Amino acid sequence: MAIHDRKGSAIRIACSTSRESGSCGNSGKFRLDQIEDEIFSALHDHLLHPAYIEEYISTYEQERKSLADTGKADHGKLQRAVAEARNLFDRRLKLYERGVLDGDDGEAKLLEAKKGLRAAEAELAALDEADEAMVFDPVAPARYASALRDLMTSLTSADGKPDNNARDAVRSLVSEIIVFPLKDDGVPVEVRGRLSALISNRGFKVGGAMVAEEGLEPPTRGL
């Protein structure tokens, strides 16, 4: 979305892709202040009543534990695969050192065995890695609700200068806002948020990737 036009203090935004190439079907023009009011109000209400966030985290943890329990059944199989890969690498290394395996073909076979060992070890290590539980930060929702309130106030103030601290806080919580084409009951808007902003252990990992785009997606209509 980009600014399309201004009328007094009102700013309308529109999809720049739709306007420039027509490859996006969302050709509508939307009042920025109305979108902001709806989104900030909805987020503020959600953050003041964070039970749904706690429920999301609880459900997520249960599913993660179920997957971990399933993976434990494969632990012995992976250990055997590592042992076999290590034995193969050791045998080929000894043959290479004795000159039995030589030349390009010998180096290729040794490298193949080494890659197989590293892959097996990595798979076992990934299963062994104990992810710490996702810990909900009970103070975070109130902190972000306060930032939203400050930002809402500053956006409607006479000078029109947003509170930079509040704006940065909201940006750490909200990853993107999607405005959909007009429907009969209004304009659907989806807020995608960073759940990591609401947990105590920011270094929480799942499968080696940071949790950054999970949950916190209150949609609004009627803009």
Side-chain angles (χ1 to χ4, degrees), residues 127-150:
L127 186 63
D128 284 339
E129 184 179 347
D131 289 335
E132 59 178 321
M134 184 185 291
V135 181
F136 175 63
D137 183 355
V139 178
R143 183 170 64 244
Y144 284 107
S146 176
L148 279 164
R149 187 168 53 249
D150 292 343

Side-chain angles (χ1 to χ4, degrees), residues 46-73:
H46 276 79
L47 290 167
L48 287 180
H49 303 282
Y52 85 103
I53 301 175
E54 294 186 77
E55 178 64 23
Y56 178 92
I57 291 176
S58 175
T59 303
Y60 181 90
E61 280 294 297
Q62 290 175 15
E63 179 64 18
R64 193 171 68 92
K65 185 178 184 301
S66 175
L67 291 173
D69 290 342
T70 301
K72 288 178 182 177

